[in-house]
Amino acid sequence: MTTTINALENTRNIGFIAHIDAGKTTVTERVLYFAGRIYKIGGVDEGTTVMDWMAQERERGITITSAATTASWKQYDINIIDTPGHVDFTAEVERSLRILDGGVVVIDAVAGVQPQSETVWRQADKYNVPRICFINKMDRVGADYFRAIDTIAHRLNANPVAIQIPIGAEDEFQGVIDLIDERAFTYEGEGPVVPIEGPVPEEMIEEFRNYRTALIEKIAETDDDLMMKYLEDEEISKEEIKQALRQATIDYRIIPVVCGTALRHRGIQPLLDAIGDYLPSPIDVAPTQGKDPRTEEPSTRHATDEPFAALAFKTVADPYIGRLVYFRVYSGRAESGSMVYNASRQRRERLGRLVQMNAQRREDLEEVNAGQIVAAVGLKDTITGDTICDADNPVVLETITFPDPVVSIAIEPKSRGDQDKLSDALVKMADEDPTFKIIYDDETGQTVVSGMGELHLDIITDRMRREYKVEANVGKPRVAYRETVTSNATAEGRFVRQTGGHGQFGHVWMDIEPLKQGSGIQFESKIRGGAIPLEFIPAVEDGAREALQAGPLSGFPIVDVKLTLTDGTFHDVDSSKMSFAIAGSMATKTLVSRAHVILLEPVMNLEVVTPGDYLGEVIGDLGRRRAQIQNIEGTGDIQAVRARIPLGESFGYANSLRSLTQGRASYNMEFYNYLEVPKGFEAEV
């Protein structure tokens, strides 16, 4: 057990998370090179990076799917996941953060915290992931390390603490000074070289002392023993500082900040040191929570000396070895070929071939242990969010929640012969991506697919053509609207059919009331005294929920309502589940017609960064798109406009912005919420 604990203490499960174009993939590539995992450095612009291995990623220069790999640095084994930055692929960030112990947030030294940085930060908060920040692109014009740290404090409400300060900036950026070890690391030349370690430069001694004092003050605030030493002017050792900083980082009280420029290979070795020194191992984080499926009682799993338990977080249809299921092992060990139990689906499964993934390359494993992130072939019924565990000690771990898709398109095969291939391709891609949904519309005979944005669906159709050799006709994007009610109502549902034999009889009284946004659909039964037999109540709920799938205004689903079954009657002979399901559906349709129904539309947070010369044109265009300006911030000639824009008005915005600003402006969007469609625009929908 001692060797297992030692191995676990030196394991780091980390992810690189950030806004699009902050440089996550470039940072990951340099980390793998300096850790000896790869021997040639690739570039995002050239499409030669290890982690961006999909054809679409290499062509577009963006990360689309999270890629896993592993590397060693000094005594540490580091499992790494590189995540996408684009909002359309937020599910990849969500599932990665669920199974990681720590995160490295990459922030652009010029732009500071950007909208998608805020999104991934909130996702990391949701799963209590300790993190450090790497201020990247210190060599760019306009790079400002301390302003970037200020944006972390103000925009993310975090407590960032610089543990390094830069030596120079922009084209003068030469290296970093470690405030704890009191050493300077400088780089000569442009190649991937080992930094030269030396004393703090004379001209920076004053600045170094000021920031080191500020660092020790911040750390002492989190540790009573250090605070006493600090107040009494006692010597505080480097080891004490590091230990207190590590604990404060794991407790989410401090965010250590380091800097560098990944493109020019500077600051990567100190970043690797910080990952080992301050991010937690599997035994530093709280035990994993779950429940026993047999008793529904809470159950925990510690990383050491516990039965096998793992969470599946990703499935991939690998063209060479078949369906791969990625999972994180939280406790125990399992061997290749052994039987495991899928506690989420209550089925036995065989762990066929176990592989350690290095982006798209694989290394076979004989067994897996706690703390590892691996993939398996042979888990036929296991999907994202399922728990696999020891059959004699079952546990269901907390699953992964994903946002609902907001954009839909109709898709149909170009030829009759492609129909089966299209269905097969869509099902396989929906298995991989929980935010990609398929609905067959009986009324129109169309297949409608939904995703997180135009780019998401564009990538899906591109993959279908390349990987699955399916040619399809694709309709224009459609917004996934919703409907809801704003008032209470009561209604009766009565279904009576008398035929030659048994008839049908179902009779219910129901109430409807609005709920706050995001509450979903709730159903409650207040039947007392057997007015309706217990076995018919689930049928009433099923009928009611089905009736809410299409609202009266535009046929979109009704959300955020509570249905209450208050009364009813039954017939000893003629009542059945079907008759009560129909009665529940009839009552619900009447309720909806009596309660005031409104239309909801998805609204996006938008940030446009534009030269000041074009600010008027940008704001005018946003006004025509029903956008609400939240604020405008300016630094120099560059203006950042933050607004909320209905998703339906944002289609084609990239081309419009490009023509308005001669290609000099950029924008980012993320989902904000569903809001009521203003009066006068409902008819358009």
Side-chain angles (χ1 to χ4, degrees):
M1 183 52 61
T2 309
T3 55
T4 307
I5 290 175
N6 285 343
L8 279 170
E9 281 179 347
N10 292 326
T11 297
R12 300 288 181 270
N13 291 316
I14 64 139
F16 289 98
I17 57 176
H19 183 90
I20 191 168
D21 281 344
K24 295 176 303 302
T25 302
T26 307
V27 173
T28 310
E29 194 80 6
R30 273 41 175 192
V31 162
L32 294 179
Y33 176 81
F34 288 116
R37 166 54 72 178
I38 59 174
Y39 301 99
K40 183 184 177 189
I41 295 178
V44 172
D45 294 337
E46 296 82 39
T48 54
T49 60
V50 171
M51 301 302 269
D52 283 354
W53 54 270
M54 287 173 64
Q56 292 88 346
E57 293 177 316
R58 294 188 162 176
E59 285 171 9
R60 297 166 192 251
I62 60 170
T63 303
I64 293 167
T65 181
S66 54
T69 188
T70 184
S72 296
W73 177 254
K74 297 183 177 174
Q75 75 268 35
Y76 301 111
D77 292 320
I78 307 174
N79 296 315
I80 299 167
I81 294 183
D82 176 34
T83 65
H86 198 285
V87 66
D88 282 21
F89 310 108
T90 188
E92 293 292 328
V93 184
E94 189 83 25
R95 60 167 135 217
S96 301
L97 285 170
R98 168 64 184 85
I99 56 93
L100 291 171
D101 299 324
V104 177
V105 183
V106 183
I107 290 172
D108 187 314
V110 180
V113 171
Q114 295 166 278
Q116 191 61 14
S117 312
E118 296 178 36
T119 303
V120 297
W121 195 272
R122 286 196 299 272
Q123 288 172 302
D125 282 342
K126 176 178 168 183
Y127 294 113
N128 294 327
V129 177
R131 63 216 82 144
I132 61 178
C133 287
F134 178 70
I135 309 293
N136 191 27
K137 304 188 179 183
M138 282 298 300
D139 58 327
R140 278 186 60 201
V141 174
D144 189 328
Y145 179 61
F146 299 107
R147 189 183 70 221
I149 292 176
D150 284 341
T151 65
I152 298 171
H154 295 130
R155 293 188 187 174
L156 303 176
N157 293 321
N159 184 22
V161 178
I163 61 171
Q164 295 175 354
I165 56 172
I167 302 173
E170 302 181 350
D171 57 356
E172 301 281 312
F173 179 69
Q174 297 166 26
V176 299
I177 297 172
D178 188 308
L179 295 176
I180 299 174
D181 285 332
E182 305 180 74
R183 304 292 287 167
F185 296 90
T186 54
Y187 296 81
E188 290 186 357
E190 292 298 310
V193 295
V194 176
I196 299 165
E197 189 177 340
V200 177
E202 283 292 329
E203 66 275 14
M204 294 188 70
I205 288 283
E206 180 101 11
E207 186 181 359
F208 160 74
R209 284 178 180 153
N210 291 339
Y211 281 108
R212 190 171 197 272
T213 303
L215 166 68
I216 294 171
E217 278 180 11
K218 282 272 187 97
I219 297 172
E221 287 171 8
T222 69
D223 187 293
D224 292 341
D225 292 338
L226 278 194
M227 180 57 82
M228 290 303 296
K229 281 192 166 188
Y230 178 74
L231 293 174
E232 292 170 8
D233 277 341
E234 287 186 37
E235 183 70 27
I236 300 174
S237 70
K238 295 171 186 175
E239 287 68 32
E240 287 176 308
I241 296 172
K242 284 188 176 181
Q243 188 55 44
L245 178 56
R246 175 180 175 75
Q247 195 56 53
T249 305
I250 292 170
D251 293 340
Y252 326 115
R253 298 170 71 182
I254 280 181
I255 309 292
V257 184
V258 296
C259 65
T261 168
L263 194 63
R264 291 173 63 192
H265 325 289
R266 297 180 178 183
I268 302 300
Q269 295 96 333
L271 169 63
L272 279 162
D273 288 339
I275 289 168
D277 287 342
Y278 306 117
L279 288 180
S281 73
I283 54 178
D284 292 321
V285 293
T288 307
Q289 302 298 319
K291 64 180 181 181
D292 188 322
R294 300 165 298 191
T295 62
E296 297 295 312
E297 291 291 317
S299 177
T300 58
R301 283 287 191 273
H302 295 77
T304 55
D305 204 22
E306 296 257 358
F308 175 70
L311 184 75
F313 68 95
K314 184 180 171 78
T315 62
V316 175
D318 190 288
Y320 301 107
I321 61 174
R323 186 174 184 268
L324 268 177
V325 177
Y326 286 72
F327 60 92
R328 156 77 192 265
V329 185
Y330 281 98
S331 63
R333 56 182 290 278
E335 295 178 352
S336 176
S338 62
M339 294 299 293
V340 292
Y341 181 63
N342 183 330
S344 305
R345 309 203 171 273
Q346 301 180 356
R347 293 176 187 167
R348 286 183 174 271
E349 294 251 53
R350 182 177 295 280
L351 273 181
R353 186 175 163 194
L354 291 172
V355 289
Q356 177 80 63
M357 297 302 296
N358 293 303
Q360 87 274 35
R361 296 198 305 277
R362 299 166 292 275
E363 296 171 12
D364 283 315
L365 299 171
E366 290 300 315
E367 65 171 26
V368 289
N369 294 287
Q372 284 187 277
I373 297 172
V374 297
V377 183
L379 297 170
K380 294 178 182 172
D381 297 318
T382 302
I383 63 169
T384 299
D386 283 359
T387 302
I388 53 174
C389 57
D390 177 50
D392 296 328
N393 299 276
V395 65
V396 176
L397 303 176
E398 180 193 348
T399 188
I400 311 170
T401 55
F402 295 101
D404 289 330
V406 293
V407 177
S408 303
I409 54 172
I411 192 164
E412 59 185 31
K414 283 193 174 174
S415 67
R416 194 176 290 275
D418 277 343
Q419 180 65 58
D420 290 343
K421 284 165 65 179
L422 174 67
S423 300
D424 183 50
L426 291 177
V427 167
K428 282 183 177 173
M429 286 190 284
D431 179 44
E432 292 181 17
D433 185 349
T435 58
F436 176 59
K437 305 288 185 200
I438 312 161
I439 302 165
Y440 185 75
D441 191 328
D442 290 323
E443 291 181 20
T444 62
Q446 285 183 316
T447 300
V448 177
V449 295
S450 305
M452 298 305 297
E454 286 182 277
L455 179 61
H456 186 198
L457 294 176
D458 187 29
I459 295 294
I460 292 281
T461 52
D462 191 36
R463 284 188 59 199
M464 208 163 52
R465 183 171 52 82
R466 294 192 196 201
E467 294 175 30
Y468 298 97
K469 307 293 187 280
V470 179
E471 294 295 334
N473 296 319
V474 178
K476 285 187 176 178
R478 273 180 56 212
V479 177
Y481 292 91
R482 297 285 185 266
E483 297 180 26
T484 193
V485 302
T486 57
S487 60
N488 296 7
T490 300
E492 176 187 28
R494 187 180 183 88
F495 179 66
V496 182
R497 288 284 184 276
Q498 202 59 49
T499 54
H502 281 314
Q504 295 285 351
F505 183 92
H507 176 221
V508 297
W509 279 94
M510 295 174 66
D511 295 341
I512 193 169
E513 61 182 284
L515 296 175
K516 68 177 184 180
Q517 269 187 351
S519 301
I521 298 167
Q522 297 178 15
F523 181 89
E524 182 184 358
S525 170
K526 289 188 175 178
I527 296 296
R528 301 288 181 268
I532 299 174
L534 282 175
E535 67 263 26
F536 295 144
I537 291 174
V540 177
E541 180 177 355
D542 290 343
R545 286 182 180 273
E546 189 175 341
L548 292 174
Q549 289 303 304
L553 288 181
S554 55
F556 289 101
I558 295 173
V559 295
D560 303 334
V561 296
K562 181 178 181 181
L563 296 168
T564 306
L565 176 60
T566 57
D567 201 0
T569 56
F570 75 101
H571 190 281
D572 286 336
V573 177
D574 292 348
S575 287
S576 66
K577 289 182 179 178
M578 186 179 78
S579 59
F580 272 97
I582 295 172
S585 175
M586 292 168 67
T588 303
K589 287 177 179 175
T590 307
L591 284 170
V592 170
S593 67
R594 291 179 180 174
H596 181 232
V597 181
I598 59 169
L599 193 64
L600 303 174
E601 63 183 347
V603 174
M604 314 296 284
N605 276 331
L606 172 75
E607 182 180 70
V608 183
V609 178
T610 176
D613 296 348
Y614 305 104
L615 184 62
E617 289 90 335
V618 168
I619 290 175
D621 182 59
L622 289 175
R624 288 187 288 276
R625 294 173 181 269
R626 292 198 287 125
Q628 292 185 329
I629 308 296
Q630 301 297 306
N631 71 329
I632 301 171
E633 293 177 358
T635 50
D637 182 43
I638 301 299
Q639 300 290 323
V641 181
R642 291 185 171 219
R644 290 193 181 131
I645 184 170
L647 178 65
E649 302 286 351
S650 71
F651 293 143
Y653 186 60
N655 291 335
S656 174
L657 184 66
R658 207 172 288 134
S659 61
L660 281 174
T661 63
Q662 299 179 8
R664 293 177 61 195
S666 62
Y667 79 99
N668 304 283
M669 274 199 309
E670 61 169 343
F671 177 68
Y672 167 63
N673 214 334
Y674 272 94
L675 299 178
E676 183 179 354
V677 176
K679 295 285 179 278
F681 291 96
E682 289 179 347
E684 290 181 22
V685 175

